[in-house]
Structure formats: structure tokens, C-alpha cells
Amino acid sequence: MQPTGMKRAAVIGAGLSGLTAAYRLQERGWQVTVYEASGLVGGRVQTVERDGYRIDTGASAIADSYKSYIKLAGELGLGAEIVPASPCIGIFRDGHLHELNLDRPLSLPVTGLLSPGAKLRFLRLAWDTAMARFRGQLDYADMCRAAPLDTESAGTYARRVLGKELTDYFVSPLVRLLLIADPDKISKVELFSGVGNIISAGISALRGGQGRLPRLLAERLAPKLNHPVDRVTEMADGVDVAFRDSDGVERAERFDACIVCCPLPDAARICADKSHLFAPLRDGLAYTQCITVALAFNRAPRARAFLVQMPTCEDADIALMFLDHNKAQDRAPSGRGLVDCHWETGAAARWMDRSDDEIIAHSLESVYRVFPELTGQLAFGHVTKWRRALPQTAVGAYRLIGNFNAALDPKSRVQFASDYMSAAGQNTAVELGTRAAGTIDSNH
């Protein structure tokens, strides 16, 4: 039975931001009901287990700069379960895998990946990134502050300032790592934030799979799965939430407040009374599609890297490969390999309706080109199709994001926490969920 006077909140969406928001409200003494349209928690943070392999089908790693995520994991007793990945990344060029050790700053100056001239031009990128960070424009918690930088694409900036070689063999693979997209389709904000927040940081993984944290949150929150929400309506004295239960029966409940944590198209649809807020974003911020292909091998490839970045000029379809057995030891049985291929968004859209067998075969062509020693060693392949992957932050997107955030009323009973409000990522999800919960608790 609900204690007398206990405030009630609804959270729409059981992804990482929604579960974090619900957990933070619960900490503050609220009774929270989480509605999730699908039958799974975690959103794009999922782990599948098969034959002794653990496959992260979406979010794959944790940067040391993910302070909010790491803090939450520690509160849930998972702090010691965050284990460092191999410090090496690889970039493929001209048939050769160049490995860089992120623990050794001098690995870039001495690598054979880039010519001496390209290495010198890298200093300009480092300088521009440092200045953006100094001005407070690369804050993942509030990426709308990056709007003044949002003037050109990463590709346009790179070709204009850095030259073709650095564009092809550093900028392209880095942007593809961040958003699995072509640098000409992404704002240069993403490039600067990547240089400032990922390349300079150590990388870790959660033992047991990235999906472990949202599952643990869900155990404490008991979200209502297969409960799609049709409408959220703010009233003077509360919020009405209309939903369908797992049997498809239409129902409605009244809450004191609500946090909407679903993707932009769903949020705009169910919050019709907020259409004036969503209209600019809905018209200007599209979602990409993505395919991830986990390939389990009976042996591990000869590489130290946990990540192989594929420049567009080397592979138009496969943007990057995680070597998950080098990311965390528990991702594959001892002596075996797990290579997780992330497709570039344009290629994913073209191949989305092709069969899994065709997608696996095409992925293997790229893997065998980088690791010929794996030929004939495939144990199985696992395909995940993300028909709505990430917001495509093209030039102008951060201005729209900034305007949306500025227009939000902190005293509204309906708050938002989702990927269209900042740079998408696990840490951002935790920060947005925490912020929305704090805003609701402070004002209601």
C-alpha cells in the first residue's frame, strides 16, 4: 500500500536514462512506475549471452571521463566490476593494422599510420579542441553549450584545416567510432568532443556485459514491460498517463509528475500538448539506422587492440570492429575471439532488410581482410538491427538542441531525459536522468 502523502511519478521508457531517473526519484522518497513499450530494459544497452560469449549489441565500452556513470555503478555495487580494456586501438590503412597505445602519448608521433606533415597538423586539431574545452563548449551534460561551434561538418572542417591524410586516417575513423556515420553528415562538435573526451581517456568495460547495469536498476524498480504509453497530459494538479497493459487493454493513471525518456518521435507523439517544443527538433533531427554483427571465432586474432577503426576510404560499410575478447576477458572463452562489427549508418540503411546470413557474410569479408588468420575459424554470427539507432547531429543540430533545452520549464510536471537533448551516450543518459529527477523533486 502506498504510504500516506507519498508522491507518485511515472517514467516513460526503461532505457538507461529512464531507469536512472526512476532510481533517483525513488531515492528521494517518490513512488515510481516505469512504463516500457518493449519486453526488454536497457534501450540500446543490451548484452546477449551465447555459448560462453557475451555480446554487447549496442553500447560497448566506458570511458574514464564517464564520471556520472561510474558513480552510479559504484552506488549499485558494480564499481569493482568495471575493468580496464586493452590500452591499444588499431587503425587500418593500406592492408596493415597500425596499433596505437593510448597509455603512451608518444605512440602517435612515432606511428607509421601518418606522415610527419599529418602529425604536425594534428597539433591544430588538439589546439582547437583544447580551446573549445576551455570555453566550456564540450560539456557532455549540457552539449547545447556547443551551439557556437556548430557551424560546419566534421569533414568540412577536417579538409579545410587538417588536410586529406589526417581527414582520411584520423578524423573519419574517429567520427565513425562516435556515431558510426560519415564525417560529412556530422557536426564538427562531435569531432572535438571525441578528441577531448575519448582519445584522452582510458577505456573500460563492465564485467558481465554492459547490459548488467540497467538490469540491476530494473531489479530495484520492477518496470512494467510491454506497456506502451499513448498519451501524457499535464494538468494543473497532476499528470494523466494513458497506456495499454500487456494484454492490450487501455488504461490510465494520474501521477504527481512524469519524466519522458523515450526517443524523439515517441516523445513528440505521446506529449501532444508539448508540440510547440518538439516541432523544430522533429523537423531537424533524424535518427540513423545501425547494424551490429558479433562474430565468434574458435581462436583469437593476433592483435592487442580492443578496437579497430576502419576509415571510410578503406571500408565504406564497416565503420569499426570491437575485439571484445581484448575489451574484457569474460566476453569470450579463453583462447577464443569475439569481433563485433558496427556498420556505417548509410550502409546499414541499405542492408537493413537483407538476411542475417548475407550480412554476416559481408561482415566476414572485412574481418578476414584485417585478420586473415581467422579464415575458417567462425563459430557463429549474431546480427542486431537498430532501426532507430542515434540522433544524427548534422550541422545545426546543437542549435536546435540548445533551443529545446532553453525552452523547457523547470516547474513543469513533465520533464524529459533522452538522447535528443545532448550528445548520446551512456554517461549522458545517466546525467540526463539524474537531472530530470532533481528538477521534478525540487519543484514538486
Side-chain angles (χ1 to χ4, degrees), residues 10 103 174 199 203 231 269 296 372 403 414:
D103 284 348
L174 176 58
I199 294 301
I203 301 296
R231 189 172 60 259
R269 174 180 54 83
N403 292 339
V414 178

Side-chain angles (χ1 to χ4, degrees), residues 92 172-173 175-177 179-183 185 289-293 308-321 340-352 354 358-367 369-370 384:
F92 191 69
S172 170
V175 171
R176 292 178 114 203
L177 167 63
L179 288 170
I180 325 176
D182 187 283
K185 298 178 181 178
Q289 299 184 62
C290 185
I291 295 172
T292 61
V293 183
V308 173
Q309 298 173 258
M310 302 296 289
T312 304
C313 60
E314 295 285 350
D315 196 315
D317 295 341
I318 306 301
L320 56 102
M321 304 173 188
D340 193 4
C341 299
H342 290 233
W343 284 51
E344 193 271 332
T345 55
R350 294 192 302 271
W351 283 69
M352 188 61 64
R354 302 279 285 269
E358 290 177 294
I359 292 171
I360 289 170
H362 191 55
S363 301
L364 282 170
E365 292 175 7
S366 294
V367 172
R369 196 155 55 90
V370 181
T384 304

Side-chain angles (χ1 to χ4, degrees), residues 121-401:
R121 283 189 290 274
F122 181 82
L123 297 176
R124 171 63 187 273
L125 175 59
W127 171 259
D128 288 349
T129 299
M131 291 305 297
R133 173 177 277 183
F134 175 76
R135 297 183 185 113
Q137 295 172 321
L138 298 179
D139 182 358
Y140 268 122
D142 185 13
M143 286 297 287
C144 63
R145 296 174 65 182
L149 289 176
D150 191 13
T151 57
E152 60 185 336
S153 73
T156 299
Y157 162 84
R159 287 189 296 272
R160 177 174 61 82
V161 176
L162 306 176
K164 185 178 187 303
E165 184 183 5
L166 202 56
T167 298
D168 287 347
Y169 290 101
F170 185 83
V171 173
S172 170
L174 176 58
V175 171
R176 292 178 114 203
L177 167 63
L178 297 170
L179 288 170
I180 325 176
D182 187 283
D184 284 321
K185 298 178 181 178
I186 298 300
S187 171
K188 73 178 181 184
V189 172
E190 299 291 354
L191 172 62
F192 288 173
S193 63
V195 173
N197 293 286
I198 294 180
I199 294 301
S200 62
I203 301 296
S204 302
L206 185 60
R207 187 181 287 119
Q210 297 305 117
R212 188 177 174 192
L213 189 146
R215 288 198 303 268
L216 186 56
L217 284 171
E219 289 175 7
R220 302 183 178 212
L221 296 162
K224 293 181 179 294
L225 303 181
N226 300 306
H227 278 61
V229 170
D230 296 318
R231 189 172 60 259
V232 170
T233 307
E234 184 171 8
M235 314 294 286
D237 58 347
V239 179
D240 288 338
V241 176
F243 62 94
R244 284 167 284 154
D245 64 20
S246 55
D247 295 321
V249 178
E250 296 182 358
R251 301 185 182 279
E253 284 197 56
R254 170 67 65 89
F255 295 89
D256 296 296
C258 177
I259 301 178
V260 179
C261 305
C262 48
L264 177 60
D266 298 327
R269 174 180 54 83
I270 68 178
C271 298
D273 59 348
K274 310 289 185 185
S275 60
H276 61 288
L277 291 175
F278 284 107
L281 270 183
R282 190 175 58 241
D283 294 340
L285 193 66
Y287 278 74
T288 61
Q289 299 184 62
C290 185
I291 295 172
T292 61
V293 183
L295 302 169
F297 292 98
N298 293 318
R299 58 171 294 185
R302 292 188 294 269
R304 298 171 299 160
F306 77 92
L307 169 70
V308 173
Q309 298 173 258
M310 302 296 289
T312 304
C313 60
E314 295 285 350
D315 196 315
D317 295 341
I318 306 301
L320 56 102
M321 304 173 188
F322 278 99
L323 277 60
D324 283 2
H325 54 280
N326 288 339
K327 184 180 74 178
Q329 290 183 354
D330 69 347
R331 295 305 196 266
S334 178
R336 299 190 178 187
L338 180 62
V339 180
D340 193 4
C341 299
H342 290 233
W343 284 51
E344 193 271 332
T345 55
R350 294 192 302 271
W351 283 69
M352 188 61 64
D353 294 321
R354 302 279 285 269
S355 72
D356 285 1
D357 287 344
E358 290 177 294
I359 292 171
I360 289 170
H362 191 55
S363 301
L364 282 170
E365 292 175 7
S366 294
V367 172
Y368 292 156
R369 196 155 55 90
V370 181
F371 302 113
E373 68 271 22
L374 294 180
T375 303
Q377 295 295 317
L378 181 69
F380 66 84
H382 180 92
V383 176
T384 304
K385 296 179 178 179
W386 299 97
R387 294 186 181 272
R388 187 189 290 159
L390 296 171
Q392 187 165 12
T393 46
V395 178
Y398 281 108
R399 297 178 190 178
L400 295 173
I401 291 170

